[in-house]
Amino acid sequence: MKKIIRALGAVAVLGFGLVACSAPDADVEGSGSGASGSASSSEDESSGGKDSGGKNSGRTGGCGASTMRAGESWSVPIESGGKHRMYQVTTPAEYQADDQTPVVLAFHGMYEHSETMKRLSGFSDKPAIAVYPQGLDGGQGTAWQGAGYSPKTDDVEFTEDILDRVESDLCVDKDRVFAAGFSNGGGFVNLLACRMSDRISAFASVAGAYYEGTRDGCEKASPEPFMEFHGTEDGVMTYRGGDGKGGKYLSVEDFVDEWVVRNGCARDAEVDHPVDGVEHRLYERKCRSDTEVQQYRIDGGGHTWPGAPVHVGQGRDTPDLHATDLIWDFFTDHPAT
Amino acid sequence: MVSTVGLGCNNFGRAGTPTETQEGTDSVVSAAVDAGITLFDVADVYGKEPGTSERMFGQALRGLGKAADDVVVVSKFGMDMKGTNGADHGARGSRRYINRALDASLERLGRDHIDLYFYHTPDGVTPPEETLAALDDVVRAGKVRYIGTSNHAGWQIADADHLASETGATRYVAAENHYNLLDRRAELEVLPAAQRFGIGVLPYFPLANGLLTGKYRHGTAPDGSRLSHSKPGLLESTDWDQIERFVAFAAERDLSPLDVAFSWLASRPQVASVIAGATSPEQVRTNAAATSWVPGDDDLAALDEIFPAPEKIALF
């Protein structure tokens, strides 16, 4: 705790001028001894959200504060689990400190960087606070919890800590907090769906790596909206599953079926083809708790983020299918209920 | 890649020097480029008023035309700008201050980016993780290409590298510190840290305020020399026998003391470029040519005799 206060102390230093100059009505967190005030208030705030049984409404501590302005991009240092961590955060062009704004958490793939995810996904162009956490390098490359190659760290706790901080710095719509990830980051999003659905309301995975460790706790998970994209010619995380760098992993069909069953949906999906060579399956009949499952099977597609402005991964791109747009529409259709 | 000798721009706009004027600065910058110098070391605080040196150097660069494209521009933030960048609350390593200082430097330089941006001195207040995060942002924004530390201790360099490695932030790639034959304290902690973390060292004050030029002998200074009126105490505390032995060492090898002082620094494995100030084109040309000598093991041992390495604090 001592270190957390020290780290936040810097934010107080930088926040002092901004608050004093441009937010005269900012609450107590923005003034004077803001460092420790901000830390404790964010803890209160997050526990309030968790205890509200999925109804996350209520203004976060960052509402009215002027930590960031519209259209800004910051790297933010944070202490989590006794480690120095970092995430990037961008505010949308129309961000206003009094308006509750959705949050998208976007997790990069193995070996990658938060900056890569920012460019790959483009969530910063959506009307949301986009957060790009940075994975740790445990000696085998940057990665998220849940795979055999993952560093020994609690990334779920890290995600909780990030949300605490984002909610205390910015005006967050706690009913509209979403998570998406690519590859190893996609697998980690599954872990979040199983363990952090009290704070995150919808989930999306692209070319996800569904190792056993990414399903830890899923046996007790609640129904959640989930969207999945995967190429049938993905040479890194094969569509049929197998034994990979991080251990055994599920086939995409089995993974999607787990969510269909968990959500209580009927197995007969509505099928359409939004672009040539892409089959979209919508499982929405009989689903519990207003959830649904959507899957995009990209015939011949590689280990890529469909429609991305930059090529990351391996194999064939799918430029006509815009995963980010589809994910964003899916997210906005699934606020916390 | 940078030139072995860099031009220190701290004299641009300095009262009483030929580079006090724009014309004098232009001639020095032009001579430096002609002499093959690619590294120009300026700071926001340099000049008779904060910002003067950056402004004059920026104008000199614009006068170079296309030749300015090949120049590596170094600048720094973190010294007291006496309100030029607004109130700093003593936290000149904070995100708020860095953004202000950088935008002001870019405006004065007339450039859209700085190639290497140094944190001039630790403020002792801001946690290094915040400084690194803020610098990470300006690198991502394209306003800065690389970042470095100046006047940081070895442990601070190590701490920052560890933090950057852990968090994925941009690493410091260079360290600018006081280092010359007369003051080898950087060898205790800074150079070993730089070597361990792959950081290039840019020594400043390579001539120890001119004491290593051979122009100062037994307490006498040449007419008009800066040291005689700006730092008379330094002349009084100098070991003149040591200087005489050094001058003799150079003469025995048919070198100038300046050649030896620069070449010795350049021979240090961690040193990337030697930063040397100049107030005339002649000085620039002399400095640029002063690292051509490659000292052998015997030469280095003899210099160690004259200028002993600092005594290690730990008993190992």
Side-chain angles (χ1 to χ4, degrees):
Chain A
M1 178 54 83
K2 195 172 181 182
K3 282 189 173 177
I4 291 172
I5 290 170
R6 176 173 159 263
L8 291 171
V11 176
V13 168
L14 76 95
F16 177 76
L18 296 176
V19 171
C21 295
S22 55
D25 57 345
D27 60 24
V28 66
E29 291 161 26
S31 61
S33 60
S36 54
S38 177
S40 62
S41 104
S42 89
E43 286 167 6
D44 295 345
E45 194 66 51
S46 65
S47 60
K50 284 178 186 175
D51 294 342
S52 59
K55 304 271 187 190
N56 294 331
S57 58
R59 291 165 66 81
T60 65
C63 291
S66 53
T67 308
M68 288 179 75
R69 299 184 181 122
E72 285 196 324
S73 174
W74 282 21
S75 299
V76 180
I78 186 171
E79 296 253 355
S80 180
K83 294 184 171 72
H84 295 286
R85 305 293 300 263
M86 183 94 86
Y87 64 92
Q88 290 193 56
V89 57
T90 63
T91 47
E94 62 274 24
Y95 177 74
Q96 293 189 19
D98 283 324
D99 289 347
Q100 294 180 64
T101 306
V103 171
V104 177
L105 298 153
F107 295 86
H108 61 73
M110 188 190 184
Y111 301 120
E112 290 169 6
H113 195 277
S114 50
E115 179 71 16
T116 316
M117 195 60 190
K118 187 162 86 176
R119 296 182 187 189
L120 181 71
S121 66
F123 281 118
S124 298
D125 294 332
K126 301 299 180 189
I129 296 162
V131 177
Y132 306 95
Q134 176 61 49
L136 278 183
D137 184 346
Q140 298 189 61
T142 52
W144 301 103
Q145 180 181 347
Y149 48 69
S150 304
K152 289 188 173 68
T153 189
D154 188 342
D155 285 322
V156 176
E157 181 187 8
F158 177 42
T159 308
E160 297 265 15
D161 291 341
I162 289 174
L163 271 181
D164 288 348
R165 178 69 175 272
V166 170
E167 288 174 3
S168 74
D169 285 348
L170 296 164
C171 195
V172 170
D173 182 346
K174 294 203 293 182
D175 284 338
R176 289 173 177 77
V177 177
F178 312 112
F182 176 61
S183 191
N184 167 238
F188 179 60
V189 162
N190 186 62
L191 191 62
L192 294 178
C194 293
R195 292 172 52 181
M196 270 189 71
S197 59
D198 54 344
R199 301 184 72 178
I200 303 172
S201 64
F203 305 84
S205 170
V206 177
Y210 308 119
Y211 292 110
E212 290 176 10
T214 66
R215 291 152 59 221
D216 185 23
C218 289
E219 64 280 1
K220 298 177 189 168
S222 55
E224 299 300 333
F226 207 105
M227 177 176 266
E228 212 277 347
F229 294 76
H230 221 107
T232 58
E233 297 302 316
D234 186 327
V236 179
M237 303 311 304
T238 59
Y239 195 84
R240 293 185 174 187
D243 202 350
K245 191 177 294 184
K248 286 188 170 24
Y249 60 96
L250 273 186
S251 72
V252 176
E253 303 287 354
D254 286 345
F255 175 77
V256 170
D257 191 58
E258 279 196 352
W259 276 107
V260 169
V261 171
R262 188 173 297 128
N263 290 357
C265 308
R267 278 196 163 114
D268 53 331
E270 291 177 31
V271 178
D272 67 325
H273 297 83
V275 299
D276 284 348
V278 175
E279 182 175 283
H280 171 227
R281 298 179 191 176
L282 169 64
Y283 300 88
E284 64 172 356
R285 274 200 328 112
K286 298 185 180 176
C287 298
R288 289 185 284 153
S289 309
D290 289 331
T291 61
E292 63 181 20
V293 178
Q294 293 196 38
Q295 183 201 359
Y296 287 86
R297 190 191 74 197
I298 302 148
D299 292 335
H303 192 68
T304 65
W305 184 282
V310 293
H311 177 82
V312 173
Q314 293 178 20
R316 203 193 80 189
D317 279 325
T318 317
D320 295 334
L321 188 73
H322 295 279
T324 300
D325 292 343
L326 293 164
I327 290 170
W328 176 249
D329 290 344
F330 175 71
F331 282 168
T332 52
D333 284 344
H334 293 93
T337 55
Chain B
M1 295 295 287
V2 293
S3 52
T4 311
V5 173
L7 179 64
C9 301
N10 54 324
N11 290 315
F12 297 170
R14 184 193 285 260
T17 67
T19 47
E20 180 180 4
T21 64
Q22 186 65 48
E23 188 181 5
T25 296
D26 290 348
S27 65
V28 165
V29 171
S30 177
V33 171
D34 289 345
I37 288 177
T38 60
L39 181 74
F40 291 79
D41 181 70
V42 70
D44 59 3
V45 74
Y46 291 166
K48 60 186 171 190
E49 301 292 338
T52 306
S53 176
E54 279 187 330
R55 188 164 280 115
M56 294 176 73
F57 172 58
Q59 186 165 332
L61 271 186
R62 285 191 289 281
L64 290 176
K66 276 194 72 68
D69 294 345
D70 298 327
V71 163
V72 175
V73 174
V74 175
S75 194
K76 314 182 193 76
F77 69 94
M79 290 293 192
D80 186 0
M81 291 289 282
K82 306 200 181 306
T84 304
N85 292 331
D88 60 32
H89 307 293
R92 294 192 284 268
S94 68
R95 182 191 301 275
R96 171 182 175 276
Y97 183 80
I98 289 171
N99 287 333
R100 285 184 181 204
L102 175 58
D103 286 346
S105 284
L106 291 172
E107 187 274 328
R108 285 188 292 264
L109 289 164
R111 293 173 77 86
D112 62 3
H113 73 277
I114 287 170
D115 296 289
L116 177 53
Y117 198 39
F118 279 102
Y119 184 15
H120 210 153
T121 190
D123 66 14
V125 178
T126 310
E129 44 270 47
E130 181 184 339
T131 304
L132 276 173
L135 290 172
D136 191 54
D137 286 341
V138 297
V139 170
R140 291 185 199 295
K143 293 181 176 182
V144 168
R145 296 280 189 265
Y146 298 96
I147 56 173
T149 60
S150 181
N151 299 310
H152 281 52
W155 71 265
Q156 290 169 315
I157 292 170
D159 183 41
D161 196 84
H162 180 66
L163 281 170
S165 170
E166 208 173 28
T167 61
T170 305
R171 295 175 61 242
Y172 290 123
V173 299
E176 187 164 330
N177 282 69
H178 187 175
Y179 184 39
N180 56 53
L181 276 165
L182 270 170
D183 189 338
R184 297 176 59 174
R185 285 175 295 175
E187 292 176 18
L188 286 174
E189 299 288 345
V190 171
L191 266 63
Q195 185 163 29
R196 173 69 181 86
F197 299 110
I199 288 168
V201 173
L202 280 65
Y204 66 81
F205 289 170
L207 297 172
N209 290 290
L211 288 172
L212 293 171
T213 60
K215 290 189 289 187
Y216 298 85
R217 311 291 287 272
H218 286 294
T220 62
D223 290 342
S225 64
R226 189 148 36 97
L227 197 55
S228 54
H229 57 80
S230 64
K231 296 180 181 175
L234 195 58
L235 293 176
E236 290 167 16
S237 62
T238 298
D239 179 346
W240 293 106
D241 288 340
Q242 187 183 37
I243 296 296
E244 287 303 316
R245 282 189 287 151
F246 172 59
V247 171
F249 172 95
E252 286 163 13
R253 288 156 181 80
D254 202 19
L255 296 166
S256 70
L258 186 143
D259 289 336
V260 176
F262 276 34
S263 295
W264 176 81
L265 280 172
S267 74
R268 308 283 91 184
Q270 299 90 349
V271 169
S273 183
V274 180
I275 304 300
T279 56
S280 70
E282 293 72 28
Q283 274 187 350
V284 169
R285 286 188 279 272
T286 303
N287 291 346
T291 56
S292 54
W293 177 57
V294 179
D297 290 344
D298 291 349
D299 299 315
L300 293 173
L303 284 169
D304 284 342
E305 286 282 320
I306 302 170
F307 303 104
E311 199 170 327
K312 287 184 177 175
I313 299 163
L315 299 175
F316 54 80

